[in-house]
Amino acid sequence: MKKNTWWRTVLTLVAAFIHFLPFYIVFTVAFKPKTELSSRWALPKELYLDNFKLAIEKADILLAIKNSLIITLITVTLVMLIGALAAYPLARLKSKFNTGILLMVVGIMMVPPLSVLVPLLTMMSRLNLISTYPGIISVLLTFQLPMSIFLYSNFITTIPVSLDEAARIDGCNKIQTFWHVILPLLKPVTASVVILTGVNIWNDYQFSLYLLQKQEMRVVTLAVSTFFASNSTNLGAAAAAALIAIAPVAALYIFLQKYFVQGMVDGAVKG
């Protein structure tokens, strides 16, 4: 068996190396002064922290992180609640209408977001929602909900209907059944939804570029992009800004990794 699977291990190591390589380069460059001309592959001779100080002061990276955190936390919370509530009746009530709704949800996931940018920007401008939290949150929520509904509905179909019937016998209505019986069982898939939508929202650039035009409303992606454009000769500071930007998402993934893998595996096997 080991002879037949050794190549999988090799491919896995190669893939891991390819994915890890950019982070290694960013790390080595971020801790080197501008005057150090050693190879980017070489580890820094000493930890030079002024790059991070420059990134925080010049790029307003902390303000950008605050804006990104507010937008991400509110949007992910709404995506979880609305997605789970919408998926529950779609998964439990089998009908042609609900099947059509699910197919429409999957179809929306296939639509390129930038294809609706012009009418979307026009509508948001008329509603005075440019450079506001409600504006960017409503747009991101709209485009992240289909994946949430799809994942939740697939997972809920694997939960025995007998649990709903037992809760109904005990006197629970549908809302109470969902809140006290179904929702606690959704922890694995919820972790998957949090990570997938959270990373997408945190890394969003296309909508933020057009909908967040005020400097004080810039998010992490805009701050890093602007800072890199104005400091292209100082790669150390640009790399430091990038490291600060990815730190919250990396910490979230490490914290929820076990639940994320469990939710994806359960959804794939049971679905």
Side-chain angles (χ1 to χ4, degrees):
M1 185 175 181
K2 291 182 179 179
K3 293 182 179 179
N4 294 332
T5 59
W6 65 268
W7 59 272
R8 298 180 184 177
T9 303
V10 174
L11 288 178
T12 301
L13 292 176
V14 171
F17 175 77
I18 294 174
H19 283 83
F20 175 76
L21 189 59
F23 295 98
Y24 173 78
I25 298 297
V26 169
F27 179 84
T28 58
V29 173
F31 287 98
K32 289 181 181 180
K34 186 178 180 180
T35 54
E36 186 174 336
L37 302 178
S38 61
S39 172
R40 294 172 186 171
W41 293 87
L43 290 172
K45 299 177 181 178
E46 59 179 350
L47 296 181
Y48 184 76
L49 300 179
D50 283 357
N51 287 331
F52 293 87
K53 181 179 179 181
L54 180 62
I56 292 174
E57 293 177 353
K58 299 297 184 180
D60 285 333
I61 198 71
L62 295 183
L63 175 62
I65 288 178
K66 186 199 78 171
N67 291 332
S68 290
L69 281 175
I70 293 174
I71 294 170
T72 302
L73 290 176
I74 295 177
T75 308
V76 168
T77 301
L78 292 175
V79 165
M80 287 190 301
L81 292 176
I82 299 175
L85 285 170
Y88 180 54
L90 291 176
R92 281 293 187 252
L93 303 177
K94 302 296 183 180
S95 65
K96 292 183 179 180
F97 178 78
N98 283 350
T99 302
I101 294 294
L102 286 174
L103 290 176
M104 184 179 67
V105 168
V106 175
I108 293 174
M109 293 170 59
M110 307 301 172
V111 176
L114 289 181
S115 64
V116 297
L117 181 61
V118 174
L120 179 64
L121 187 60
T122 302
M123 181 183 69
M124 300 300 285
S125 178
R126 290 177 178 175
L127 296 175
N128 295 321
L129 292 176
I130 300 294
S131 295
T132 63
Y133 287 130
I136 188 66
I137 288 173
S138 60
V139 171
L140 293 175
L141 174 63
T142 301
F143 282 93
Q144 294 300 321
L145 263 179
M147 181 176 63
S148 173
I149 296 173
F150 178 73
L151 291 175
Y152 274 121
S153 60
N154 280 347
F155 194 88
I156 292 174
T157 55
T158 68
I159 300 175
V161 181
S162 57
L163 294 178
D164 301 53
E165 297 172 349
R168 195 174 302 114
I169 292 174
D170 290 337
C172 294
N173 56 35
K174 292 183 179 180
I175 296 296
Q176 292 172 329
T177 300
F178 171 79
W179 190 259
H180 296 290
V181 178
I182 302 300
L183 190 59
L185 300 176
L186 300 180
K187 290 181 181 179
V189 70
T190 297
S192 300
V193 171
V194 168
I195 291 179
L196 292 175
T197 59
V199 170
N200 288 339
I201 295 168
W202 184 272
N203 292 335
D204 175 72
Y205 181 79
Q206 52 193 4
F207 289 126
S208 300
L209 179 64
Y210 296 99
L211 296 178
L212 299 177
Q213 300 176 2
K214 293 182 180 179
Q215 185 173 357
E216 61 270 18
M217 287 296 298
R218 288 192 307 182
V219 291
V220 165
T221 50
L222 297 181
V224 173
S225 175
T226 304
F227 183 70
F228 184 82
S230 59
N231 293 270
S232 57
T233 58
N234 190 350
L235 293 180
L243 278 182
I244 297 174
I246 66 176
V249 177
L252 175 67
Y253 179 77
I254 293 173
F255 179 73
L256 296 176
Q257 181 182 16
K258 180 179 69 174
Y259 303 100
F260 173 73
V261 173
Q262 180 184 350
M264 295 303 291
V265 170
D266 290 347
V269 175
K270 298 177 181 178

